[in-house]
Amino acid sequence: AQSVTQLGSHVSVSEGALVLLRCNYSSSVPPYLFWYVQYPNQGLQLLLKYTTGATLVKGINGFEAEFKKSETSFHLTKPSAHMSDAAEYFCAVSDPDSSASKIIFGSGTRLSIRP
Amino acid sequence: ETGVTQTPRHLVMGMTNKKSLKCEQHLGHNAMYWYKQSAKKPLELMFVYSLEERVENNSVPSRFSPECPNSSHLFLHLHTLQPEDSALYLCASSPGSTVSTNEKLFFGSGTQLSVL
């Protein structure tokens, strides 16, 4: 069975500081991995995804994530936080050989940006 | 604007009411989904439709009844709900007819449901 754990339900950083949102997964097969962002009063939007190939994945809005198989991690980073990055971020994992019903989302991390 | 529109944005209903949530996608996608988002919990997949056929029912109580009359519209009919059903209900769509875990999901803004 697959699962995903997001460490820290709330992260607060200063504007211009490094953003690091942690995601660890459990999977018996090489997974697909996703980060979604949810801005207030909106649905989720895909930030980036890893399927195969290069382990460092670049997404929208300057975010990137690195798939580290040895650490079963897919942490999300951004070098310099902007006020507009304040949102809830969801990590998700799926089994490539299964259906979309097996996309498992984490509980989310709320990112706050201090001026 | 993601191309997935949900109405209403907010809904308050009593436990004996019957109401429906509506989702419409303008993207030409073949798969549509209902998710439930409760505070501090992971998103819960409720139903998946592919080409108007239900392909997944994730052990959802029968007081939730989905309907997919065509590939652009998805409904969630609600009756005799419980207060614990209060949550944000999100609709999503994806391009493929075979529902793949590789595909990007396009989400609507959700319906915030409160059951009194």
Side-chain angles (χ1 to χ4, degrees):
Chain A
Q2 293 183 307
S3 65
V4 59
T5 302
Q6 291 185 241
L7 296 176
S9 59
H10 184 209
V11 171
S12 180
V13 302
S14 298
E15 190 174 18
L18 171 72
V19 175
L20 171 62
L21 304 181
R22 300 178 185 275
C23 173
N24 287 89
Y25 69 90
S26 171
S27 177
S28 58
V29 298
Y32 293 153
L33 295 158
F34 309 80
W35 276 100
Y36 280 83
V37 60
Q38 184 177 32
Y39 297 104
N41 301 314
Q42 295 186 28
L44 281 70
Q45 301 174 37
L46 182 68
L47 268 181
L48 49 82
K49 68 177 181 180
Y50 168 79
T51 53
T52 59
T55 57
L56 181 63
V57 181
K58 295 186 184 299
I60 61 173
N61 301 338
F63 284 93
E64 60 183 37
E66 187 171 10
F67 169 54
K68 292 188 177 181
K69 184 179 178 181
S70 61
E71 299 178 7
T72 61
S73 69
F74 191 58
H75 301 331
L76 182 71
T77 61
K78 181 174 180 177
S80 177
H82 191 273
M83 296 300 291
S84 61
D85 295 326
E88 186 122 21
Y89 292 79
F90 294 89
C91 183
V93 61
S94 70
D95 177 353
D97 296 326
S98 187
S99 72
S101 63
K102 302 307 179 188
I103 298 176
I104 307 297
F105 284 85
S107 300
T109 297
R110 182 166 299 280
L111 176 65
S112 300
I113 312 296
R114 302 187 300 271
Chain B
E1 180 59 50
T2 64
V4 180
T5 304
Q6 289 187 244
T7 54
R9 291 296 302 271
H10 302 273
L11 178 62
V12 179
M13 61 186 289
M15 289 190 285
T16 58
N17 291 159
K18 290 185 179 181
K19 297 286 184 183
S20 296
L21 310 184
K22 179 182 177 181
C23 176
E24 183 174 2
Q25 56 97 359
H26 314 278
L27 302 167
H29 289 172
N30 291 314
M32 297 187 77
Y33 312 73
W34 280 116
Y35 281 88
K36 177 182 179 182
Q37 185 179 17
S38 304
K40 308 299 182 187
K41 287 186 175 181
L43 265 70
E44 301 172 49
L45 180 67
M46 300 176 73
F47 301 104
V48 182
Y49 278 82
S50 177
L51 295 174
E52 302 144 44
E53 179 181 344
R54 190 189 308 179
V55 297
E56 188 73 28
N57 177 348
N58 232 16
S59 303
V60 179
S62 60
R63 57 185 184 270
F64 295 91
S65 174
E67 178 189 3
C68 188
N70 55 63
S71 60
S72 298
H73 294 86
L74 184 65
F75 295 89
L76 188 62
H77 303 301
L78 316 170
H79 64 97
T80 60
L81 294 191
Q82 304 298 310
E84 60 264 29
D85 296 322
S86 299
L88 180 68
Y89 288 84
L90 291 167
C91 174
S93 70
S94 63
S97 56
T98 54
V99 184
S100 167
T101 57
N102 187 21
E103 290 194 330
K104 173 181 175 180
L105 296 174
F106 293 74
F107 284 85
S109 299
T111 295
Q112 186 65 55
L113 173 67
S114 297
V115 181
L116 304 178

